Amino acid sequence: MARLVGVDLPRHKKILYALPYIYGIGLSLSKKILAATKIDPNKRTDDLSESDINALKEFIERNFRVEGDLRREEGLNIKRLIEINSYRGQRHKKGLPVRGQRTKTNSRTRRGRRPAPMKKKA
């Protein structure tokens, strides 16, 4: 099992689709990483050699902020917005959508409310 930056990658997946299991790496970034390290995207994580794993680990740690560092940075950014009492900070504090979405309908996941039950017609 390949382990990169504290994350166990799934065993039988292609490395192209296994790298996005790391927080902060998506599919497009995964393609760029594999192109830069010259690793075949169709290779399975089981088939990676130690040198491939080390190359991936070094490249990711050198060039990207992932996992704990990225989560910490995002948390600090949100805390800063709340502390300076910006509009976005107020929305974060209230648990409402931050990026201008409508709230009259939709936004149920953010607000945490259930729709009212339908009344039966007599």
Side-chain angles (χ1 to χ4, degrees):
M1 181 182 310
R3 187 168 176 82
L4 294 175
V5 290
V7 177
D8 292 329
L9 298 180
R11 286 179 179 264
H12 304 295
K13 285 198 175 202
K14 291 181 180 181
I15 190 65
L16 175 66
Y17 300 109
L19 281 178
Y21 278 70
I22 299 171
Y23 184 79
I25 296 179
L27 192 59
S28 61
L29 194 55
S30 175
K31 289 176 185 173
K32 290 176 186 173
I33 290 169
L34 292 173
T37 54
K38 296 182 177 84
I39 296 174
D40 180 26
N42 294 319
K43 219 176 202 182
R44 304 278 173 172
T45 51
D46 286 346
D47 302 334
L48 289 176
S49 66
E50 285 297 319
S51 60
D52 289 342
I53 293 171
N54 288 335
L56 283 171
K57 191 182 298 184
E58 287 175 18
F59 187 80
I60 290 170
E61 287 174 353
R62 218 177 326 112
N63 297 312
F64 303 106
R65 198 171 295 123
V66 291
E67 279 301 319
D69 294 337
L70 182 60
R71 290 179 201 268
R72 191 176 314 107
E73 184 180 338
E74 288 179 355
L76 290 173
N77 288 341
I78 291 171
K79 257 187 208 167
R80 180 183 53 82
L81 290 171
I82 291 171
E83 285 174 7
I84 64 174
N85 211 16
S86 69
Y87 178 78
R88 282 173 53 203
Q90 291 173 4
R91 303 294 283 184
H92 273 292
K93 197 187 303 184
K94 292 177 184 175
L96 291 169
V98 178
R99 298 184 177 180
Q101 297 92 331
R102 66 179 293 144
T103 55
K104 183 173 181 179
T105 60
N106 306 332
S107 81
R108 294 207 193 284
T109 55
R110 189 75 174 126
R111 291 186 302 155
R113 293 188 186 148
R114 295 265 175 222
M118 298 292 291
K119 293 183 180 177
K120 292 184 180 177
K121 294 181 181 176

